[in-house]
Amino acid sequence: MKNRLTHILILLSVLTWLPAQSRAQKEEEYSQAKLRVEWAKVDILLDSATMYLDAKPQESFDFIERALEISILGNDRLNEARCYIMMGKVSYNLQQYDVAASYYQKAAMRLDKRNDDLAGKVYLLLGQAYEKGEKYTESIDYY
């Protein structure tokens, strides 16, 4: 009888633990799915910004700002960097080279060791912005 009671208590504890575990798993799965949707939104917004980069820079900038907002709220530093790079490109195309350089610097600060390729591109863009802005001493540091 005592052994049977122990088995029943163990079974009850397992049964009450399982729904909590599956609820936590479902919440985690939902959170991951939501994050993937947000990443997709950022990609779409940045693709749209690229399409309007030359023809309609203000619209391009509007798409980038929305993508940046999503990235910041999601604590997604890589996409934040991508947004700042695009903002730099818009500013560069508008011949606002100092502004472009500041956006490229913001992008560089958000990248880590896993993003060495992108960081290299950012530093090249930074050097180009300084060169076009006739800040040759600064541009040499990034070439």
Side-chain angles (χ1 to χ4, degrees):
M1 182 76 170
K2 197 176 194 184
N3 196 14
R4 189 171 193 187
L5 183 60
T6 304
H7 281 77
I8 291 172
L9 288 175
I10 291 172
L11 181 61
L12 284 174
S13 66
V14 167
L15 289 175
T16 57
W17 177 74
L18 281 176
Q21 181 189 21
S22 68
R23 186 174 340 122
Q25 284 175 334
K26 286 180 182 179
E27 287 175 3
E28 178 63 25
E29 288 172 7
Y30 173 75
S31 177
Q32 290 297 322
K34 188 175 176 185
L35 189 57
R36 284 190 299 273
V37 167
E38 295 302 311
W39 284 337
K41 283 182 189 176
V42 169
D43 284 340
I44 291 168
L45 289 166
L46 291 179
D47 286 346
S48 299
T50 301
M51 284 182 12
Y52 289 106
L53 186 63
D54 295 322
K56 298 180 180 179
Q58 185 55 52
E59 286 184 40
S60 180
F61 209 82
D62 292 342
F63 285 121
I64 299 165
E65 284 181 325
R66 283 188 263 160
L68 180 61
E69 183 180 330
I70 292 169
S71 300
I72 291 171
L73 290 174
N75 199 25
D76 184 349
R77 294 180 64 83
L78 175 59
N79 276 327
E80 272 186 67
R82 291 176 60 213
C83 291
Y84 285 122
I85 292 167
M86 286 297 298
M87 288 175 155
K89 288 180 178 181
V90 170
S91 300
Y92 185 92
N93 287 352
L94 294 172
Q95 299 177 351
Q96 299 172 342
Y97 304 116
D98 288 341
V99 176
S102 71
Y103 284 130
Y104 294 144
Q105 287 174 338
K106 286 181 180 184
M109 288 188 295
R110 280 151 182 85
L111 296 172
D112 59 25
K113 297 266 187 219
R114 295 174 291 177
N115 309 113
D116 281 345
D117 290 344
L118 187 56
K121 291 175 186 175
V122 169
Y123 290 125
L124 181 60
L125 292 168
L126 192 51
Q128 291 171 346
Y130 280 133
E131 181 182 1
K132 282 288 196 177
E134 299 180 358
K135 294 186 175 183
Y136 302 113
T137 306
E138 289 93 340
S139 72
I140 290 171
D141 293 336
Y142 295 100
Y143 278 122

